[in-house]
Amino acid sequence: MSVLERLEIKHPILLAPMAGVSTPELAAEVSNSGGLGALGLGANTVEAAKVQILKTQELTDHPFQVNFFCHQSQALNEVDAKNWIEYLKPAFERFNVSVPNELNCIYPSFLDNDEFLNLVLETRPKAVSFHFGIPHAHQLRALREAGIITLVSATNLLEAQAIEAAGVDIIIAQGIEAGGHRGIFNPEIDGAVKTSDLLQLIVQHCQIPVIAAGGIMNGRQAKHMMNLGAQAVQLGTAFVQCKTSNANAAYRQALLNHPLTQITSSISGRPARGIMNHWQTQIDQPQRPTPPAYPYTYDLAKQLHAVASQQGDQSFAAFWAGSNVAQIREMEARDLINQLVLEMAE
Ligand SMILES: Cc1cc2nc3c(=O)[nH]c(=O)nc-3n(C[C@H](O)[C@H](O)[C@H](O)COP(=O)(O)O)c2cc1C
């Protein structure tokens, strides 16, 4: 069965799940237009995730995917934390605020307990995808028995092979161009393979279907990925500018300024690609200490951004975007899907 048949969608176009940016309205608009809508729920509590899923189900009868983070939770390294807090102290003091003296684990992992699994089993979205790793065997088994399709991001061939061996249904080949967090399992080791190369490698060595993600902004690029063996494409950045996304005015303006993007681990403790700002130009200095593990580092970054933005300074924001962000178009999500379909047919 093809990915289109399995996901019961008309067009081979998936909205990327984007924590903080995706909304039930955006997910439903994409699904109602023949693509696969998505909810990025990794930063939500179980209760908040449930509200989003139920709202999306109210807005569409078509399938959509939900997404969670599968990182290996780590205890906070107190030395790293102390050094990082000390390093960011001047940045806080610039805004006349004292640096916080502790870091919190702001997001749980899907691996830590079965609360999110139970939510998925209760609400039954068509598909569930995972970033940063593979769910436990008992979790995959429960999803399979419930008929819920599973997808996991891979950034290299070894990850893709592990995903296939675990019995996951579909691999998302996430190339280095991709906006947001690298789905990489071990954040210390990154082969930085570009989407088209990664896709071909995985298609050659794995039997299960592959979806391409990273730097795809128009139908021509999407068609190219399909020609290289992708069964569908997943786009994130291209949808951030859509009216129904949750992006605020500053984020939308930053996207339109034809920005450069760069990958940094300084914001969250894991590598992620976003629009270049103070994180890359001032914090990522060679003498920078090792940031604490994800998501502890993110706690401090979010607090710094909150302090700065309250004083009108957006330069510590995490404006995630892919390397082809300069090709972004300001369109309604439904028009973007139609346009992508037209361009793919050319
Ligand atoms: C704003 C933003 C937030 C993202 N959040 C998530 C997320 O919560 N979960 C996830 O699996 N991927 C996330 N990603 C990565 C996407 O799934 C996808 O790999 C990426 O958007 C593809 O590259 P593109 O942005 O160039 O289209 C995010 C990407 C962006 C741009």
Side-chain angles (χ1 to χ4, degrees), residues 100-171:
N101 55 15
E102 59 174 33
L103 302 183
N104 296 303
C105 179
I106 52 174
Y107 307 142
S109 169
F110 192 87
L111 299 173
D112 289 348
N113 63 57
D114 284 342
E115 282 188 335
F116 286 107
L117 172 69
N118 293 335
L119 173 68
V120 174
L121 295 174
E122 180 195 331
T123 53
R124 304 269 165 154
K126 180 80 191 164
V128 55
S129 66
F130 300 96
H131 218 43
F132 309 144
I134 306 171
H136 295 302
H138 79 271
Q139 296 178 321
L140 283 175
R141 199 177 320 114
L143 293 168
R144 195 176 317 116
E145 282 168 10
I148 296 167
I149 294 169
T150 51
L151 305 92
V152 177
S153 309
T155 62
N156 60 48
L157 181 59
L158 290 180
E159 290 172 354
Q161 287 171 325
I163 292 167
E164 179 166 59
V168 171
D169 295 308
I170 299 169
I171 297 166

Side-chain angles (χ1 to χ4, degrees), residues 16-21 40-42 67-69 129-131 153 172 174-175 177-181 213-217 234-238 240 251 273 319-324:
M18 294 184 278
V21 168
L41 300 176
N67 172 269
F68 298 97
F69 302 146
S129 66
F130 300 96
H131 218 43
S153 309
I172 300 165
Q174 191 204 34
E177 300 93 326
H181 280 87
I216 305 166
M217 302 296 288
Q234 179 162 285
L235 287 70
T237 305
V240 178
Y251 194 173
R273 184 183 289 283
F319 290 152
W320 304 131
S323 59
N324 283 338

Side-chain angles (χ1 to χ4, degrees), residues 154 156-165 168-173 198-210 229 231:
N156 60 48
L157 181 59
L158 290 180
E159 290 172 354
Q161 287 171 325
I163 292 167
E164 179 166 59
V168 171
D169 295 308
I170 299 169
I171 297 166
I172 300 165
L198 179 67
L199 168 68
Q200 291 175 84
L201 200 60
I202 298 177
V203 167
Q204 187 185 346
H205 291 280
C206 296
Q207 310 306 313
I208 60 174
V210 188
Q231 288 211 16

